[in-house]
Amino acid sequence: MLMETILDLPIENKIFYAVLVFSWTVYLWEAYLAYRQRRTYRSTMHVPQELGKIMDTDTFEKSRLYQLDKSNFSFWSGLYSETEGTLILLLGGIPFLWKVAGTVTARFGLGADYEIFQSLSFLMLATLFSAFTGLPWSIYNTFVIEEKHGFNQQTLGFFLKDAVKKFIVTQCILLPVTSLLLYIIKIGGDFFFIYAWLFTLGVSLVLVTIYADYIAPLFDKFTPLPEGELKEEIESMSKSINFPLTKVYVVEGSKRSSHSNAYFYGFFKNKRIVLFDTLMEDYSPLNKDGEPENVPAEETDTPTEAKAKPKNKKQGCNNPEVLAVLGHELGHWKLGHTVKNIVISQMNSFLCFFLFAVLIGRKELFIAFGFYDSQPTLIGLMIIFQFIFSPYNEVLSFCLTVLSRRFEFQADAFARGMGRASELYSALIKLNKDNLGFPVADWLFSMWHYSHPPLLERLRALGGTKQD
């Protein structure tokens, strides 16, 4: 009876309920995986014998409690997000916001013919709504969970100012790009999907190129790595594999969090390396009682907003370990992982725009989400990319996770081939300790979520080389 009732529904109703059912199916699957991992956190109370030589009891317990708190928070925030999304769909939130956006543009004398302006108004209202509803969760995560476990370095004033700045910068990029994309789709004719894909490809390449030079410095302070042994070693290592390094920066990540990171960016012969100050034990302010090394007190940013730094345990890696970490990162470049990821991303983007071109004329897709009298292009992009493609996106995400783990093993092997296995081994242990990574994972949770192999698997692959 139920099946017959479902089959008798209009096609637009089938589409709508299929989207809801799939969304909740994914959520329940994710919740089940998270439950399995929380069970691992709760049941693994003691350091496994295999980990006895690389992790002390105190660090193990801290990492267990940290990850357990994060998992519990993720459960409640995920439940809220899924419930909010469902209510928005059931109560017609999307068409309602579109009408509000039309009212806003009408106040400026712009009618329904100015669809792009109404689309930009809709986009700004939607991102504003998302920012406000997500703010309490972000505050709790930063000032309760991260604070409790010693990672947060921000004051509330700095955090709020940063959130406003991020929103403004996002709008300055999002609105012009979206308006041009909608215009291209409108005037592109039968092959608009090719022009739209080329445009998004160009935008992504430009953003990757300018991000660390012009966007990231709006939020964090970047300074050139001072002359010295570390810089000379980095330049020598880059030269040995023909990596076209032009600059090495240190970013002041410690003013936000004590988590650490490193990355490189740039195209062709203009590569730059960025090191977080928290990655290097000689530069991390968290290892000092006073001001950061090499930075005079009068040059530090916003001293009134800098949170008092507690005396933490020694953090970061020594120079040989930093070089080993960079050897891993340079391995991604030398082995073509970056290019492969870009190619995969752009093939996926082209496929999605092609399928969008096939589906955009289907009126029932718009009716399913409450648009009976109009078919706005922006709404079509949202419906097709976010809802209709969601099963494909889940499969693709899992495949990319599997590929990412393979790339990580290959990059580790590259660093080992450079003679840095021992240093990478100890660096991975230190970074896991500094970031309170829990080394025991449920196999199914790990398979589905971990883009990086678990610590023990990476250490085994490095050959068990141990540097005490």
Side-chain angles (χ1 to χ4, degrees):
M1 181 66 71
L2 178 61
M3 183 60 67
E4 292 179 0
T5 304
I6 293 174
L7 292 174
D8 289 339
L9 289 173
I11 183 64
E12 52 268 20
N13 288 7
K14 292 178 182 177
I15 293 171
F16 180 79
Y17 290 121
V19 166
L20 281 182
V21 168
F22 184 79
S23 179
W24 276 96
T25 300
V26 170
Y27 169 75
L28 292 174
W29 167 247
E30 297 279 1
Y32 169 69
L33 294 178
Y35 162 75
R36 291 175 61 104
Q37 184 63 14
R38 280 196 300 277
R39 188 173 59 188
T40 300
Y41 295 145
R42 292 192 179 102
S43 62
T44 313
M45 303 292 293
H46 305 287
V47 183
Q49 184 176 358
E50 192 176 9
L51 300 171
K53 293 184 179 180
I54 65 174
M55 180 173 264
D56 60 84
T57 302
D58 183 54
T59 302
F60 184 84
E61 180 64 9
K62 286 180 179 178
S63 66
R64 187 183 74 85
L65 295 176
Y66 174 54
Q67 297 297 334
L68 186 58
D69 281 350
K70 283 178 62 179
S71 183
N72 288 329
F73 171 79
S74 179
F75 169 78
W76 291 109
S77 62
L79 178 60
Y80 168 80
S81 179
E82 188 66 24
T83 304
E84 178 190 85
T86 299
L87 290 175
I88 288 173
L89 291 179
L90 289 174
L91 300 177
I94 298 176
F96 171 77
L97 193 62
W98 180 258
K99 290 178 181 177
V100 173
T103 302
V104 171
T105 54
R107 289 183 177 275
F108 294 92
L110 304 174
D113 293 337
Y114 293 88
E115 183 187 309
I116 291 180
F117 288 97
Q118 186 171 351
S119 298
L120 298 182
S121 176
F122 172 88
L123 200 57
M124 182 175 287
L125 291 172
T127 52
L128 193 62
F129 173 81
S130 178
F132 273 110
T133 56
L135 185 61
W137 295 98
S138 183
I139 290 175
Y140 185 88
N141 181 57
T142 302
F143 293 98
V144 177
I145 296 178
E146 296 293 304
E147 181 82 24
K148 174 182 176 182
H149 295 278
F151 288 112
N152 177 46
Q153 302 297 322
Q154 304 176 74
T155 63
L156 181 60
F158 178 88
F159 175 88
L160 294 175
K161 182 185 291 186
D162 204 48
V164 172
K165 192 188 297 184
K166 285 179 182 176
F167 181 82
I168 293 173
V169 171
T170 299
Q171 299 306 310
C172 289
I173 297 172
L174 183 63
L175 297 183
V177 169
T178 302
S179 62
L180 287 172
L181 177 61
L182 295 177
Y183 182 72
I184 290 170
I185 293 174
K186 289 287 186 184
I187 68 168
D190 294 338
F191 298 100
F192 75 84
F193 61 94
I194 297 177
Y195 310 133
W197 168 68
L198 289 173
F199 172 71
T200 55
L201 169 62
V203 169
S204 62
L205 294 179
V206 168
L207 288 178
V208 167
T209 302
I210 70 172
Y211 173 77
D213 286 328
Y214 300 102
I215 300 175
L218 296 174
F219 303 95
D220 296 301
K221 184 177 181 179
F222 286 68
T223 55
L225 180 67
E227 297 294 335
E229 181 183 354
L230 179 59
K231 185 176 182 181
E232 291 173 1
E233 290 285 348
I234 291 174
E235 291 173 342
S236 176
M237 183 170 65
S238 300
K239 189 176 181 180
S240 71
I241 61 170
N242 299 316
F243 181 75
L245 178 66
T246 56
K247 293 180 182 178
V248 184
Y249 292 109
V250 178
V251 60
E252 192 182 3
S254 56
K255 72 177 183 179
R256 299 175 182 280
S257 170
S258 57
H259 289 295
S260 51
N261 198 7
Y263 62 92
F264 70 87
Y265 70 99
F267 288 102
F268 308 114
K269 301 295 183 181
N270 188 29
K271 305 287 188 183
R272 291 96 181 274
I273 289 175
V274 176
L275 305 170
F276 279 54
D277 56 358
T278 49
L279 176 67
M280 303 172 287
E281 63 181 18
D282 291 340
Y283 289 86
S284 177
L286 305 178
N287 290 334
K288 304 174 178 63
D289 294 331
E291 294 295 330
E293 191 175 275
N294 301 315
V295 182
E298 64 271 14
E299 293 182 9
T300 55
D301 289 340
T302 56
T304 57
E305 294 181 350
K307 185 179 176 182
K309 296 179 176 62
K311 293 183 180 181
N312 294 337
K313 62 183 182 300
K314 194 168 184 66
Q315 183 194 38
C317 300
N318 59 37
N319 285 358
E321 291 165 345
V322 171
L323 290 169
V325 171
L326 286 179
H328 168 95
E329 294 300 325
L330 293 178
H332 285 304
W333 171 80
K334 189 68 174 179
L335 298 171
H337 296 165
T338 306
V339 173
K340 290 173 185 175
N341 281 329
I342 291 174
V343 170
I344 292 171
S345 173
Q346 292 309 314
M347 288 175 62
N348 172 64
S349 178
F350 181 83
L351 174 63
C352 289
F353 274 117
F354 171 75
L355 294 176
F356 170 77
V358 173
L359 296 173
I360 188 63
R362 303 295 294 268
K363 190 174 182 180
E364 58 266 28
L365 292 178
F366 291 87
I367 294 175
F369 293 91
F371 289 82
Y372 302 98
D373 302 319
S374 62
Q375 300 178 44
T377 302
L378 178 64
I379 300 301
L381 285 167
M382 178 186 297
I383 291 172
I384 295 171
F385 277 77
Q386 183 175 342
F387 300 132
I388 306 303
F389 288 171
S390 52
Y392 164 74
N393 290 335
E394 288 296 322
V395 174
L396 178 65
S397 176
F398 174 71
C399 292
L400 291 177
T401 298
V402 173
L403 181 64
S404 174
R405 283 199 297 268
R406 180 178 176 83
F407 284 171
E408 292 301 317
F409 278 126
Q410 291 176 354
D412 282 351
F414 183 86
R416 182 179 61 196
M418 297 179 74
R420 301 187 182 275
S422 177
E423 293 84 357
L424 183 59
Y425 190 104
S426 57
L428 290 174
I429 294 172
K430 283 186 178 181
L431 293 175
N432 186 80
K433 181 179 180 180
D434 289 346
N435 292 284
L436 291 184
F438 194 68
V440 183
D442 173 79
W443 72 270
L444 192 57
F445 181 88
S446 171
M447 180 188 71
W448 188 261
H449 281 294
Y450 283 11
S451 61
H452 286 57
L455 176 64
L456 280 177
E457 292 183 22
R458 296 182 71 178
L459 297 182
R460 291 191 197 108
L462 284 170
T465 307
K466 178 74 171 73
Q467 177 176 345
D468 294 325

